[in-house]
Structure formats: structure tokens, C-alpha cells
Amino acid sequence: MKFSKYVLLAAFGLSASLSFADEMKEVRIATEGTYPPFSYLDKGQLTGFDVDMANAMCERMKIKCTIVSQEWDGMIPGLVAGKYDAIVASMNITDERKKKIDFSNKYYATPARFITVKDGGVTGNSPADLAGKSIGVQVSTTQSNYLEENYKDSEIKQYKTVDDAAMDLANGRIDAVFSDAALLYVWMKTKDGACCDFVGGDVINEKYFGVGKGVGVRQGEAELRDGFSKAIAELRADGTYDKINKKYFPFSIY
């Protein structure tokens, strides 16, 4: 795809209508669609924080975008293979991932946390606290990598989605779930999640979780990457970001 012309036009505030009509190829953005409140289906339509941010960034960059759903464990391979042109799916910016793809600046950053059933006997989140316990986590995530390397005395159970793991926790099949704190906070506000609460404090480790979540693009597409970074800064500056944030969370996730 040729990004340079229309990204530069957008960056300098020039009219891109002729270029869009005559030359622009649609920018396809992948999100997961099973990660509420960041991306999920509502009446058959993709919505959520990631989706709203993707649309806002595209509008600011004056590019036409289509958002598609992609299962998490195929997200990076699909981008590299050209199935879509960017990822807006709460993906942590890590050194390991940067070996395969490139990232914009962060558009949000929240810690990882553990949850467990209230009064279920788990009182801390250290490896010793969870030795002999079963912990649910989404497959192919930074949280999964962290558990595999640091909680060797626990049973790590991999799930296709965090919701699947959370429901097994609510039904007494596992002892804890480890995921993004903001996602777990929202789930615990639901009827199913009322069973559970955070245990221990924030888990912050740049080696595993990077510096935040960014827009993923293929390596070598610096203009598209920088266009997303510029759009994020502008949305932060003009208050649009805060409006989207408050739609989903009662606290800042930046």
C-alpha cells in the first residue's frame, strides 16, 4: 500500500479528497472483538474503546478505514501477511513483538492484575501465594508469558478469551485469573463478575508488558506509524481522548 502521500497530506492539513477518490486504498484495521470493553460485538457491530479510538484516529488522519475482527493468536501473523494494515487491539508494545512489527506511541497503559473469588482462600498474588493454585489467562498474551516464566508452581490454564477464563473462575473451576486491570474491573461490575475481586496489587514489569498499548503496523511503514502517533497526540490535546475514555471507564487509562 502507498501511505506516504495521504499521510503527508493529512499531516499538513491539506485537502486529500482527490487523492482519496483516485488513489487511496482502504486501510484495514484488525481488532479482537471478544475483549470487552475494549472490543466486542453489539448488535452485530464491532464497538468498544479500541474501536472508538481506531475510528477517531482515522478521522483525524483523514484516511478511510475498515475495522475487522481477528482472533488474538493470529493477530501479528495476519498483519505481517498483509490481511490488514494495522492492529488496534490493546496490544502491549514489547521488545519481543518489535522484532516482528512496529508500533505507534502508546494510546493507553494499564497494569496487569489478578482476581479471585471473594473469601476463596487466595490472599496474595505472589508465586508463593498461588503455588498449587490454578490460574486462568488468555493464550498468546504477555500475561501468559509472565505466568509461564514466574509461576512455575501454579497450574496455568490457557483460554481463547479472558471472558472464558473469568467464567471458569466464577464457576469454581479455577482459583484466579490474570489479565489487564481495566478489563477485569469492568467484568467485576457485571452480574457474573460480582463473585470476584482483585487480589494483591498492580503487576508492572516492562520486560513483559512494555510501556503501554500501541497501534501495530508492519515494519518499514513509518509514515503510517507516525500518522497514528500524531493522531493520538491530537486526540489527547483536544479532549476527544478523554471523552472516549469516560465512555468506558470512570478513571483515566492513559
Side-chain angles (χ1 to χ4, degrees):
M1 293 182 65
K2 295 181 179 179
F3 296 110
S4 58
K5 188 172 184 179
Y6 61 76
V7 173
L8 287 172
L9 284 168
F12 286 99
L14 300 175
S15 172
S17 58
L18 290 176
S19 294
F20 289 175
D22 297 339
E23 297 181 17
M24 193 192 87
K25 293 182 179 179
E26 202 166 322
V27 177
R28 290 170 63 83
I29 296 177
T31 195
E32 189 175 5
T34 59
Y35 198 67
F38 293 99
S39 64
Y40 58 98
L41 288 173
D42 182 17
K43 298 178 181 178
Q45 298 296 314
L46 283 167
T47 189
F49 178 84
D50 283 338
V51 176
D52 286 359
M53 279 297 299
N55 284 325
M57 286 186 282
C58 289
E59 182 178 354
R60 188 53 55 94
M61 294 163 68
K62 297 182 173 64
I63 57 176
K64 181 181 179 183
C65 295
T66 296
I67 301 176
V68 299
S69 61
Q70 166 65 52
E71 290 186 359
W72 179 258
D73 55 0
M75 194 74 70
I76 290 177
L79 176 65
V80 173
K83 288 178 61 178
Y84 33 81
D85 311 297
I87 296 170
V88 183
S90 296
M91 183 171 282
N92 281 304
I93 304 165
T94 66
D95 289 340
E96 186 64 28
R97 287 178 175 148
K98 285 194 287 186
K99 294 176 183 178
K100 299 177 181 178
I101 65 173
D102 203 354
F103 286 95
S104 72
N105 293 340
K106 74 171 186 178
Y107 66 96
Y108 83 90
T110 52
R113 290 199 70 174
F114 289 87
I115 61 170
T116 189
V117 174
K118 296 173 183 176
D119 301 320
V122 177
T123 58
N125 66 1
S126 71
D129 292 324
L130 290 166
K133 305 293 185 181
S134 54
I135 308 171
V137 67
Q138 186 175 16
V139 67
S140 300
T141 59
T142 52
Q143 290 91 357
S144 173
N145 295 338
Y146 180 80
L147 291 180
E148 292 286 356
E149 293 188 21
N150 295 283
Y151 286 72
K152 297 184 182 298
D153 293 327
S154 300
E155 179 188 3
I156 311 304
K157 296 194 68 174
Q158 308 275 354
Y159 292 83
K160 185 176 180 180
T161 71
V162 178
D163 270 358
D164 291 342
M167 288 308 300
D168 265 9
L169 176 63
N171 290 317
R173 299 188 184 100
I174 57 177
D175 299 301
V177 170
F178 186 53
S179 188
D180 184 272
L183 182 153
L184 294 173
Y185 172 87
V186 172
W187 180 77
M188 289 188 296
K189 295 298 181 182
T190 68
K191 181 180 178 180
D192 291 329
C195 62
C196 303
D197 203 353
F198 289 121
V199 61
D202 294 347
V203 180
I204 300 171
N205 189 313
E206 192 170 316
K207 173 185 173 182
Y208 295 94
F209 307 121
V211 295
K213 279 74 170 175
V215 180
V217 300
R218 284 183 288 274
Q219 292 179 345
E221 296 187 349
E223 288 142 329
L224 184 61
R225 177 202 66 200
D226 294 345
F228 280 118
S229 293
K230 184 174 185 292
I232 293 165
E234 291 175 353
L235 294 171
R236 291 274 299 157
D238 71 6
T240 302
Y241 183 97
D242 288 340
K243 289 179 183 178
I244 296 172
N245 189 137
K246 289 175 183 177
K247 180 178 176 181
Y248 298 98
F249 306 101
F251 49 84
S252 174
I253 66 168
Y254 185 73

